[in-house]
Amino acid sequence: MLQTHSVASLCQAYTTLSPQDIKEIEKVNETLQLTADLYKANVFIDCLIDEGKHAMVVAEASPATTESIYVEPVVGRKVYEAFEPAVFQTLHAGKAMFANRALNQEGIPVEQNVVPIKGGNGRVIGALIMEKDISERLKGQAELKALSRTAESLSNVLIGMTENRPIIPEIIEEALFFVKTDGSLLYFNPPAINLVSDLSGKKLHHGVQVVKYLPELNEMLHYSEELAVKEMQISGKTFQVKRISLPYNEKYVGLFLILQDITELREKEKQLIMKSVAIQEIHHRVKNNLQTVASLLRLQMRRGLPEESKVHFLDSLNRISSIASVYEVILANSSIDEVDIFTLSQKIGNMLVHDGTNPEGQILIHYVGEELTIESERAVSIALVINELIQNCLKHAFKDRQSGVIKVYFMKSEETITVEVRDNGVGYVPSGESSLGLDIVKMVSKHDLSGRFEMKRVEDGTIARVVFPFRKQGLDEK
């Protein structure tokens, strides 16, 4: 409790209270902070001044157990009857006032409880006031009232009270039934008529129980919630059924039942699931076939090849294995046709660097960047590009060196994806000889990825960079 003036000094300066009365006020003030903390409210003592025309706050306490509704101390401020009539009613008549609404010193709506403080002769010498902020409560009440008015207006439109015939229900596609709480029909729109006719061959009539036509709706009639949504099977079809209660007055207590036929949607979802399973099976078979081809190449290499042919077999084997890695990544993820090229590149790079030709681990490979997911078709192209660029590093970058580092970078902007393979090797030196690996990279970058490829020597090695659009482009955009 923060006060710039003592209770006694304020009472002596502005009130006509006797010394004994002031002592009584001080006694009440001693318990003010405890009361504020206990009830989580701002608590005050007001006394009459100016011959009873106004009052003054002579003591206050802000709760330490919750947020105070006052920013600044109010001790020493005048209190006006127009804003706090309950306080003056208590000060003048000695009557306790409870649950009264008022505006506090800072214009916040509050609920006041006011009790009189009496002196030794039974005369009212002050008022003990407890205030709680009710602005949120009033806001909620206003929103509830507005919601009630909205519901009433909506209901009037839906059941045709504003016109001779309803407007909205005539044009909505869902079947709409407005029924009493006992289930008897008050209103139904044309789609509801058609629905019942298609399902049961019956004609709807007002006043008849809706379950006579659609027995499955009996469950929805007995829900306690004001709003309920459920998917139901009715006569072999699938419907989304919504139940909306409108208990806003005694005249039109009832509920809406809205039925939307989602049979076709669910069938398409089933077909999509079946296609997803089929695609997964295709990916699995492609992966197995590629691994079979790779196994045949390994078998042939073990049985013996001319020395000049071994390198070509090994290159082909790595390309096939890189493509197979695409399908391994697809099968490892939940998505049926998307590949994280960061994970894909790790798989390819680790396979190439740690294939047994680098037993001491002199060549290291690192990956830098974020996860980048693209469709499997382009992932195959990227797998080939990364395979060729890393193989190029292993073949040419570290000649006559005992160690080296390869780094694969992934960068994405709003429009493009950039993949870089860097090494700290001897540096790229263009030659007139054609390289099948680089030719593959150039062709795939341009025709399959609609991008560009560049390779350059830098101070500490070589950078090979492929930049292509983030989104797949059509043939006319290439």
Side-chain angles (χ1 to χ4, degrees):
M1 181 176 65
L2 177 63
Q3 296 177 197
T4 56
H5 303 282
S6 69
V7 175
S9 64
L10 286 172
C11 290
Q12 291 167 359
Y14 296 99
T15 73
T16 58
L17 297 176
S18 67
Q20 187 61 36
D21 291 337
I22 294 174
K23 287 183 180 179
E24 291 295 328
I25 296 293
E26 288 182 314
K27 286 182 181 179
V28 176
N29 180 52
E30 290 175 359
T31 62
L32 218 60
Q33 186 63 54
L34 182 62
T35 303
D37 293 341
L38 180 62
Y39 290 99
K40 297 183 178 181
N42 287 76
V43 185
F44 311 90
I45 298 176
D46 289 4
C47 294
L48 288 171
I49 61 173
D50 298 337
E51 298 179 351
K53 294 180 180 179
H54 302 99
M56 176 178 284
V57 182
V58 299
E60 70 171 339
S62 300
T65 51
T66 189
E67 187 176 354
S68 174
I69 59 176
Y70 286 83
V71 178
E72 300 291 339
V74 295
V75 170
R77 291 189 188 181
K78 284 187 177 182
V79 180
Y80 300 97
E81 185 173 3
F83 295 108
E84 301 184 42
V87 173
F88 284 83
Q89 180 82 5
T90 298
L91 288 171
H92 289 307
K95 182 180 179 182
M97 306 290 289
F98 297 100
N100 293 279
R101 292 183 181 180
L103 285 175
N104 72 1
Q105 297 278 348
E106 296 180 359
I108 298 173
V110 295
E111 182 180 84
Q112 283 183 338
N113 293 317
V114 189
V115 295
I117 303 173
K118 296 184 179 180
N121 57 2
R123 184 172 64 91
V124 177
I125 60 175
L128 178 64
I129 305 148
M130 183 185 299
E131 292 184 353
K132 288 189 175 182
D133 184 1
I134 59 170
S135 55
E136 288 299 320
R137 189 197 309 172
L138 293 178
K139 181 181 177 183
Q141 290 174 351
E143 290 176 349
L144 184 61
K145 189 174 181 180
L147 181 61
S148 178
R149 289 197 299 266
T150 301
E152 183 172 353
S153 299
L154 174 63
S155 301
N156 288 341
V157 172
L158 286 174
I159 62 179
M161 290 178 61
T162 56
E163 298 287 346
N164 292 329
R165 55 186 282 120
I167 302 171
I168 296 176
E170 300 291 332
I171 61 175
I172 64 175
E173 296 181 356
E174 292 83 359
L176 184 146
F177 304 87
F178 184 49
V179 302
K180 293 181 180 180
T181 52
D182 64 359
S184 58
L185 285 165
L186 288 171
Y187 169 79
F188 39 83
N189 66 348
I193 297 172
N194 296 333
L195 173 66
V196 171
S197 177
D198 291 341
L199 295 181
S200 66
K202 298 178 181 179
K203 185 176 180 181
L204 286 171
H205 295 281
H206 294 91
V208 178
Q209 298 285 322
V210 69
V211 295
K212 295 285 187 181
Y213 304 102
L214 303 171
E216 295 87 350
L217 296 180
N218 185 60
E219 179 185 353
M220 298 298 289
L221 294 175
H222 296 91
Y223 275 24
S224 59
E225 296 87 352
E226 292 186 1
L227 175 63
V229 181
K230 186 175 182 180
E231 192 168 302
M232 304 181 70
Q233 294 294 320
I234 301 176
S235 298
K237 290 189 174 183
T238 306
F239 290 87
Q240 183 186 70
V241 183
K242 298 178 184 177
R243 177 192 188 277
I244 306 172
S245 297
L246 292 173
Y248 66 89
N249 64 34
E250 295 180 359
K251 186 176 180 181
Y252 287 103
V253 172
L255 55 92
F256 287 107
L257 294 174
I258 304 172
L259 279 68
Q260 181 181 8
D261 188 348
I262 57 173
T263 305
E264 185 177 352
L265 175 63
R266 291 293 176 260
E267 287 297 323
K268 288 181 178 179
E269 287 178 350
K270 289 179 182 178
Q271 292 175 11
L272 182 60
I273 292 172
M274 292 176 64
K275 287 180 180 179
S276 299
V277 173
I279 291 173
Q280 288 280 41
E281 179 62 24
I282 291 171
H283 289 328
H284 188 74
R285 292 186 181 185
V286 170
K287 184 202 74 169
N288 288 345
N289 290 339
L290 288 170
Q291 289 178 339
T292 299
V293 174
S295 298
L296 291 174
L297 288 175
R298 292 191 187 94
L299 180 62
Q300 184 63 54
M301 292 173 68
R302 284 197 294 268
R303 290 196 171 186
L305 288 171
E307 194 65 31
E308 64 274 12
S309 300
K310 286 184 179 180
V311 64
H312 302 299
F313 267 74
L314 183 60
D315 286 347
S316 298
L317 176 61
N318 287 333
R319 287 167 187 143
I320 293 170
S321 298
S322 295
I323 297 173
S325 297
V326 174
Y327 295 95
E328 288 182 15
V329 173
I330 292 174
L331 293 170
N333 297 331
S334 58
S335 175
I336 63 170
D337 195 43
E338 291 188 339
V339 179
D340 175 14
I341 60 175
F342 186 93
T343 303
L344 174 65
S345 300
Q346 285 181 311
K347 199 170 189 65
I348 295 171
N350 293 341
M351 175 188 69
L352 294 173
V353 173
H354 306 300
D355 65 347
T357 60
N358 184 29
E360 302 298 326
Q362 298 103 331
I363 307 300
L364 302 176
I365 186 165
H366 303 294
Y367 309 90
V368 182
E370 57 186 314
E371 293 183 357
L372 295 173
T373 302
I374 62 172
E375 64 281 359
S376 60
E377 181 181 349
R378 289 199 296 170
V380 170
S381 301
I382 293 171
L384 283 172
V385 167
I386 292 174
N387 174 79
E388 298 301 332
L389 293 180
I390 294 176
Q391 281 205 86
N392 190 68
C393 293
L394 294 172
K395 288 179 181 178
H396 306 294
F398 308 113
K399 288 183 177 179
D400 303 323
R401 293 197 178 193
Q402 297 298 317
S403 62
V405 177
I406 300 171
K407 291 185 178 180
V408 184
Y409 291 85
F410 305 89
M411 293 160 281
K412 182 181 74 172
S413 67
E414 290 185 1
E415 297 182 354
T416 62
I417 293 176
T418 301
V419 179
E420 288 185 357
V421 178
R422 306 180 187 181
D423 66 66
N424 62 347
V426 297
Y428 170 62
V429 178
S431 65
E433 297 181 7
S434 175
S435 166
L436 177 60
L438 292 183
D439 287 344
I440 289 174
V441 174
K442 293 174 185 177
M443 179 186 67
V444 169
S445 299
K446 181 178 180 181
H447 297 290
D448 295 349
L449 298 175
S450 302
R452 64 181 187 276
F453 167 69
E454 61 180 0
M455 189 171 181
K456 62 181 179 180
R457 180 171 183 165
V458 292
E459 184 176 348
D460 58 347
T462 302
I463 294 178
R465 180 184 296 118
V466 176
V467 182
F468 58 94
F470 177 66
R471 292 177 179 81
K472 184 179 179 182
Q473 295 184 345
L475 294 173
D476 57 336
E477 299 177 278
K478 291 184 178 180

